Amino acid sequence: MIKKIVLQKGKEKSLQRFHPWVFSGAIAKQDHSIYDGDVVEVYDFANQYLATGHYHNSSTCVKIFSFDKIVPDDAFWKMKVANAIDYRHTIGLIDHPKTNIFRLINGEGDGLPGLIVDWFDGNVVIQFHSYGMYLLKETFVQILTDLFQNKIKSIYNKSVATLPEIKSFEPVDELLYGSFDEVLVNENGIPFYIDIVKGQKTGFFIDQRDNRKMVGEYAKGKDVLNLFSYTGGFSGYALAGGANRVHSVDISKKAIDFAEKNIAVLGKKYLEKHESFTENVFDFLENADDKRYDVIVLDPPAFAKHHKVKDQGIKGYRNLNRKAMQKVKDGGLLFTFSCSQAISKEDFQTIVFSAAAMENKRVRVVKHLEAAPDHPVDIFHPEGSYLKGLLLYIEN
Ligand code: SAH
């Protein structure tokens, strides 16, 4: 029997609008002995079925994976994963001639809250964000190897940093299938080494693919500064796009070493056009000349992961954008991003506009930027669009 949770009167509305989360404050009563990771059915106060999801004793206590009364057996999960694959077929990412990395499953955006799956040329990295999904890890290995036949080289579970804390459970990162050595992939024909085990997140920030491509398109003959460069994603595109000079800045030595390796595999001729700095971006900007660069990319880590630290995050972004704007030549471009869930698109726009006002800069919005299409957002879960950016023309 699937355990049952009943909501307070009036708290059913968000589920009726297919929002995939139940907050603990909405619950009127629940069956005894519901444990973290359990599948639960959610009912309204009048005992009408609403949805089925994974339970976790926390503020977002049920993450919904079905609004139909189903039994989540292997066939159900397989159908969900097959849907996610169909979507990637539709947007042209399966067997793409120039790109062999993409996000295969994007949590809520694919109706699978708690589950992230990235594809690196047949090397699959699974990141569980909920214990309920984690308990299904063997099921997902089976499903992925079934659906992709012999295309899968390895499956690695990398969830220590993302699983919620659970008593008497110590998650480990582990190889679940096959094996991998050095992983070298292509994104729009640009090669990148991926450090699955020690790299950040699943190894690469796949969400920036289309924005990286745009940087490449605007880079010809330009001096480009890539701030928070990680393994040199934007730098590789800028160089391949014909940049005159590219500077990559990241605080992590490991990331910078990888960036250099990535520029070398792109082509030895690019090494002399590229310089990397293992440095705090704030210090780097303090010492850089004003109006030095034609194009600057500003892609910091999330400054406001939670609403509690939103104000602090706003100040951080504003300060950083002010500093970056100072370093752009008149008539140059600034690609500026925020990946903080707590900062909305509108918030970010306000932050950037006030930074421009404070710096007395004449700025035009060239384009609004977001994550690539393999990071779909469930229309009923707008919180899923965490990455927002602006391409700005800095007139003077
Ligand atoms: N733009 C990258 C992703 C950036 S992730 C891409 O396209 O792949 C954020 C990066 O910021 C990480 O590599 C992290 O090491 C770096 N970082 C965090 N704080 C920093 C700081 N104060 N100064 C420099 N780099 C920092």
Side-chain angles (χ1 to χ4, degrees):
M1 270 297 280
I2 297 180
K3 288 166 198 160
K4 192 169 159 179
I5 281 179
V6 179
L7 300 185
Q8 295 170 23
K9 192 170 181 180
K11 297 291 187 190
E12 67 285 355
K13 301 235 162 54
S14 68
L15 287 186
Q16 283 168 343
R17 284 193 304 264
F18 304 116
H19 189 278
W21 293 346
V22 175
F23 294 103
S24 54
I27 294 177
K29 58 181 181 180
Q30 62 187 67
D31 282 351
H32 291 299
S33 62
I34 295 183
Y35 299 109
D36 290 342
D38 279 353
V39 171
V40 290
E41 286 179 349
V42 184
Y43 290 77
D44 73 3
F45 69 100
N47 219 19
Q48 291 292 312
Y49 170 85
L50 293 166
T52 304
H54 283 131
Y55 176 85
H56 197 95
N57 185 10
S58 61
S59 69
T60 310
C61 71
V62 189
K63 292 194 171 173
I64 302 299
F65 49 73
S66 180
F67 292 93
D68 297 315
K69 198 169 177 178
I70 45 85
V71 176
D73 55 10
D74 290 2
F76 169 82
W77 297 115
K78 192 168 185 177
M79 178 269 295
K80 286 275 198 176
V81 176
N83 274 344
I85 297 172
D86 283 350
Y87 172 83
R88 273 79 189 164
H89 266 295
T90 299
I91 60 171
L93 280 170
I94 307 270
D95 297 328
H96 189 284
K98 286 187 168 172
T99 297
N100 55 22
I101 72 173
F102 55 87
R103 177 149 292 185
L104 179 60
I105 294 174
N106 190 41
E108 282 83 355
D110 283 296
L112 289 162
L115 184 64
I116 296 291
V117 179
D118 282 350
W119 177 274
F120 298 104
D121 186 26
N123 297 292
V124 175
V125 181
I126 307 190
Q127 202 177 57
F128 297 102
H129 290 247
S130 77
Y131 191 54
M133 283 296 181
Y134 172 83
L135 293 174
L136 290 159
K137 72 177 172 174
E138 297 305 334
T139 306
F140 286 118
V141 168
Q142 189 60 50
I143 289 170
L144 287 164
T145 48
D146 277 1
L147 290 174
F148 282 100
Q149 302 282 328
N150 49 9
K151 282 190 192 161
I152 294 198
K153 299 172 186 166
S154 67
I155 302 180
Y156 189 73
N157 164 27
K158 192 176 182 187
S159 312
V160 167
T162 57
L163 276 170
E165 261 181 51
I166 298 191
K167 257 192 229 147
S168 68
F169 166 68
E170 278 289 328
V172 287
D173 291 342
E174 61 195 327
L175 189 65
L176 300 175
Y177 175 88
S179 65
F180 59 87
D181 190 10
E182 215 167 35
V183 177
L184 180 62
V185 301
N186 269 291
E187 191 188 79
N188 290 311
I190 316 246
F192 290 104
Y193 283 105
I194 308 291
D195 190 351
I196 287 180
V197 175
K198 296 204 197 91
Q200 299 183 31
K201 302 280 170 79
T202 59
F204 202 58
F205 293 86
I206 302 180
D207 52 358
Q208 289 284 24
R209 183 196 312 108
D210 292 357
N211 302 320
R212 284 194 275 262
K213 187 162 180 241
M214 209 182 306
V215 165
E217 285 159 2
Y218 286 118
K220 200 170 171 57
K222 302 289 165 64
D223 282 5
V224 179
L225 173 61
N226 182 9
L227 296 169
F228 304 96
S229 63
Y230 186 47
T231 56
F234 284 100
S235 307
Y237 277 74
L239 288 163
N244 174 53
R245 184 137 273 287
V246 177
H247 288 168
S248 303
V249 185
D250 200 286
I251 205 161
S252 152
K253 170 86 167 59
K254 217 160 41 186
I256 288 291
D257 287 348
F258 246 78
E260 284 178 356
K261 196 168 150 181
N262 281 333
I263 305 305
V265 71
L266 179 67
K268 291 271 185 288
K269 65 175 179 185
Y270 295 115
L271 285 172
E272 63 191 37
K273 290 176 183 276
H274 179 252
E275 201 175 336
S276 48
F277 301 83
T278 308
E279 201 177 338
N280 189 322
V281 159
F282 290 89
D283 296 337
F284 181 90
L285 287 174
E286 211 53 63
N287 298 320
D289 292 339
D290 283 354
K291 304 194 180 186
R292 163 73 184 80
Y293 296 97
D294 300 290
V295 177
I296 296 185
V297 179
L298 187 59
D299 184 25
F303 285 171
K305 284 200 175 128
H306 312 287
H307 278 278
K308 277 181 243 160
V309 291
K310 185 172 165 181
D311 286 346
Q312 210 179 311
I314 288 176
K315 280 193 201 124
Y317 285 116
R318 198 171 50 215
N319 186 17
L320 194 57
N321 276 277
R322 286 182 66 176
K323 294 231 154 62
M325 281 174 191
Q326 293 167 357
K327 309 302 168 193
V328 182
K329 283 184 197 166
D330 292 350
L333 296 172
L334 174 63
F335 288 78
T336 179
F337 299 96
S338 158
C339 59
S340 297
Q341 196 139 36
I343 306 274
S344 70
K345 191 176 164 180
E346 292 70 28
D347 292 334
F348 187 58
Q349 208 162 302
T350 308
I351 291 166
V352 172
F353 291 1
S354 62
M358 285 162 138
E359 288 302 313
N360 205 14
K361 291 277 180 193
R362 302 281 299 150
V363 173
R364 281 176 236 176
V365 176
V366 183
K367 210 171 167 33
H368 291 261
L369 308 170
E370 58 193 359
D374 44 338
H375 298 65
V377 177
D378 177 353
I379 202 162
F380 304 111
H381 180 253
E383 300 91 327
S385 51
Y386 59 94
L387 182 67
K388 59 273 308 178
L390 290 167
L391 169 53
L392 304 174
Y393 176 77
I394 315 280
E395 193 176 327
N396 59 48

